[in-house]
């Protein structure tokens, strides 16, 4: 059995973002990322600050802990990171979850393909806009979308772009134009990762949400889209494990 680097197992909570926002789910957060986004809200997964907390776990051990923490009170697991698409053998976790009638979602930035993508129920691909300082590899992103289409998995796939400024909006327009048939989400960027008081963060994020809504309403190339905040950030701020 392969071992996966795990930083957090928590829930049940609501999926706070994107295509299945509001869905009751457990989270498994893996360590390690091939990106280093300037505004990453989970930088502890790759910047070394939590390296002592990383546990190398088999799929069986992860599922046992999901049951320990969540009991019978879940039927959906979201795998995030870091970039869980760095893990070649993740089907070892996904397949037994499906056997237990548990749906599996995954968050990734679209920098790597894995064959097990086609068995994910809710695949969120979140290419990174200019404010992140990361560069999109369009060839790889095209390839991921094409492979999902070839396997008739587009109904299980979405794109989610985080927006901090006008440049990011232009990038989002470019992504939506390139993949018009993929459900498209624009998400409010949180640039106050230091704030410890949830109510103060919420009021800032709501202002940014309104700004983003106004911008999207005003764009003729962002019509078949959804605009969302990070609901968990509105409720619980920058707290980990919620
Ligand atoms: C922490 S990432 C992990 C998964 C994967 N590495 C990715 O970026 O898609 C999960 C989601 O959080 C988003 N995210 C990260 N930092 C954020 C921030 N400061 N504000 C809003 N969304 C953020 C990412 O764009 C991604 O959609
Ligand atoms: N509630 C909740 N929803 C989320 N959606 C995406 C998350 C992530 O960090 O990937 C996340 C998270 O950490 N918590
Ligand atoms: S790709 Fe995701 S986990 Fe990696 S640095 Fe960017 S937001 Fe953070
Ligand atoms: Mg998060």
């Amino acid at each position: 059995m392969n071992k996966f680097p795990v930083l957090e197992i928590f829930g049940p909570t609501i999926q706070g973002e994107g295509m299945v926002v509001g869905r009751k789910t457990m989270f498994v957060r893996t360590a390690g990322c091939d990106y280093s986004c300037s505004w990453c809200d989970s930088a502890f997964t790759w910047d070394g600050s939590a390296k002592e907390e990383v546990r190398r776990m088999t799929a069986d051990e992860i599922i046992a802990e999901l049951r320990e923490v969540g009991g019978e009170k879940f039927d959906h697991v979201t795998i995030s990171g870091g970039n869980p698409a760095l893990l070649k053998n993740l089907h070892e976790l996904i397949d037994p979850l499906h056997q237990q009638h548990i749906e599996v979602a995954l968050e990734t930035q679209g920098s790597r393909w894995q064959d097990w993508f086609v068995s994910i129920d809710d695949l969120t691909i979140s290419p990174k806009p200019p404010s992140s300082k990361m560069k999109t590899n369009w060839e790889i992103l095209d390839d991921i979308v094409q492979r999902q289409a070839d396997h008739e998995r587009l109904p299980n796939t979405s794109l989610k772009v985080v927006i901090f400024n006008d440049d990011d909006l232009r990038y989002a327009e470019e992504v939506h134009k390139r993949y018009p048939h993929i459900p498209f989400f624009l998400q409010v960027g949180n640039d106050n990762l230091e704030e410890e008081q949830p109510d103060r963060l919420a009021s800032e994020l709501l202002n940014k949400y309104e700004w983003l809504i106004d911008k999207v309403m005003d764009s003729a190339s962002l019509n078949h889209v959804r605009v969302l905040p990070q609901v968990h950030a509105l409720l619980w701020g920058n707290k980990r494990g919620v």
Side-chain angles (χ1 to χ4, degrees):
M1 273 277 224
N2 287 285
K3 295 194 176 209
F4 305 107
V6 175
L7 258 171
E8 297 182 315
I9 294 176
F10 64 89
T13 182
I14 55 152
Q15 167 56 273
E17 307 176 12
M19 68 191 291
V20 290
V21 68
R23 177 71 157 94
K24 185 182 186 183
T25 189
M26 297 290 292
F27 277 87
V28 175
R29 191 182 301 284
T30 62
C33 194
D34 46 327
Y35 277 15
S36 51
C37 299
S38 62
W39 37 251
C40 179
D41 65 8
S42 306
F44 61 91
T45 60
W46 53 266
D47 69 4
S49 61
K51 65 168 185 283
E52 257 82 75
E53 296 168 52
V54 179
R55 293 179 294 157
R56 301 194 59 82
M57 299 172 78
T58 65
D60 283 351
E61 289 166 346
I62 294 170
I63 292 170
E65 186 157 325
L66 282 165
R67 283 295 177 206
E68 242 172 71
V69 176
E72 295 296 314
K73 299 175 184 169
F74 68 95
D75 69 354
H76 189 278
V77 170
T78 304
I79 305 168
S80 187
N83 186 6
L86 296 176
L87 305 172
K88 221 211 294 266
N89 300 302
L90 216 52
H91 54 89
E92 291 179 8
L93 175 61
I94 298 160
D95 295 346
L97 286 171
H98 280 153
Q99 280 156 19
Q100 296 186 30
H101 307 289
I102 294 166
E103 291 188 305
V104 183
L106 188 115
E107 307 262 341
T108 188
Q109 62 265 40
S111 59
R112 299 278 178 98
W113 167 261
Q114 293 291 350
D115 288 336
W116 48 255
F117 276 13
V118 298
S119 53
I120 296 292
D121 300 288
D122 311 303
L123 180 68
T124 296
I125 303 169
S126 183
K128 297 298 177 260
S131 62
S132 70
K133 302 281 192 267
M134 297 298 111
K135 265 208 103 74
T136 301
N137 185 325
W138 295 102
E139 238 172 78
I140 292 179
L141 196 54
D142 287 351
D143 180 62
I144 291 172
V145 169
Q146 189 56 52
R147 286 171 190 256
Q148 286 289 99
D150 291 346
H151 289 85
E152 296 179 12
R153 298 303 287 179
L154 291 189
N156 305 81
T157 308
S158 74
L159 287 161
K160 177 173 77 184
V161 178
V162 176
I163 306 293
F164 286 83
N165 57 38
D166 290 319
D167 274 354
D168 292 353
L169 263 165
R170 279 186 284 276
Y171 173 87
E173 290 175 344
E174 190 183 346
V175 174
H176 183 47
K177 206 162 161 191
R178 196 174 182 104
Y179 313 109
H181 303 304
I182 306 203
F184 194 82
F185 293 79
L186 296 111
Q187 172 164 302
V188 176
N190 173 9
D191 63 3
N192 192 355
L193 301 170
E194 306 298 309
E195 180 59 63
E196 284 176 10
Q197 276 184 267
D199 52 338
R200 283 166 65 166
L201 185 65
S203 104
E204 282 178 33
L205 292 177
L206 285 172
N207 283 329
K208 291 186 197 299
Y209 187 28
E210 191 175 16
W211 172 84
L212 181 57
I213 290 170
D214 287 345
K215 287 286 185 176
V216 173
M217 299 310 109
D218 206 36
S219 165
S221 39
L222 293 171
N223 290 338
H224 196 162
V225 303
R226 291 180 165 82
V227 189
L228 285 174
Q230 291 178 295
V231 178
H232 54 104
L234 291 179
L235 293 170
W236 304 302
N238 288 314
K239 207 164 105 189
R240 253 176 75 172
V242 289

